[in-house]
Amino acid sequence: MDMKRKKQLLEEYKNRKPEMGIISFFCISTGEKFLCISKDTKADINSNRFKLSINRHANNHMQELWNQFGEINFEISVILVLKYEDPNADYTEKLEEMLKQCLDLNNCTRRM
């Protein structure tokens, strides 16, 4: 790959606009929902799913449920999407506000 093409691809990656929002892992068997903020929903869903599959997730309770009931008993989704313009701006505060609102709505919901 030539340097010009490499620079172009790098620039496209830096300026991409990934979906940001709140992702949910819902255990159908227990009714428990685990939420987290995400600056790239697709990547974070894949990352969490992988960690769970190799028994290395940071949330021990969610890992226990995953081990007990299996992936088939989890609904994984994006429950809120943040609309934004500048892909280089930091939206952490806004995402945390959105997460807090979601957590306040339901007693069976936990932070991932």
Side-chain angles (χ1 to χ4, degrees), residues 24-34 61-76 108:
S24 166
F25 279 65
F26 175 69
C27 181
I28 299 165
S29 300
T30 65
E32 293 173 85
K33 187 181 284 190
F34 300 87
H61 183 62
M62 189 167 97
Q63 183 69 63
E64 289 170 8
L65 294 175
W66 186 274
N67 293 346
Q68 182 178 357
F69 299 110
E71 182 176 358
I72 194 146
N73 283 298
F74 275 81
E75 289 178 356
I76 303 167
C108 294

Side-chain angles (χ1 to χ4, degrees), residues 86-112:
D86 182 6
N88 298 313
D90 185 8
Y91 293 99
T92 306
E93 236 178 81
K94 182 63 179 163
L95 289 166
E96 286 290 346
E97 288 173 26
M98 291 168 59
L99 177 61
K100 184 177 178 345
Q101 290 172 355
C102 292
L103 291 170
D104 290 344
L105 290 176
N106 190 332
N107 292 359
C108 294
T109 304
R110 300 175 184 198
R111 182 181 285 266
M112 196 182 306

Side-chain angles (χ1 to χ4, degrees), residues 37-92:
I37 67 169
S38 174
K39 294 182 180 178
D40 186 340
T41 58
K42 289 178 185 169
D44 288 338
I45 286 173
N46 287 338
S47 174
N48 280 289
R49 184 182 275 144
F50 176 73
K51 289 173 189 171
L52 288 163
S53 73
I54 63 168
N55 202 28
R56 294 280 188 242
H57 200 277
N59 186 311
N60 293 330
H61 183 62
M62 189 167 97
Q63 183 69 63
E64 289 170 8
L65 294 175
W66 186 274
N67 293 346
Q68 182 178 357
F69 299 110
E71 182 176 358
I72 194 146
N73 283 298
F74 275 81
E75 289 178 356
I76 303 167
S77 62
V78 178
I79 60 171
L80 274 178
V81 175
L82 176 67
K83 302 223 186 288
Y84 67 99
E85 291 301 316
D86 182 6
N88 298 313
D90 185 8
Y91 293 99
T92 306

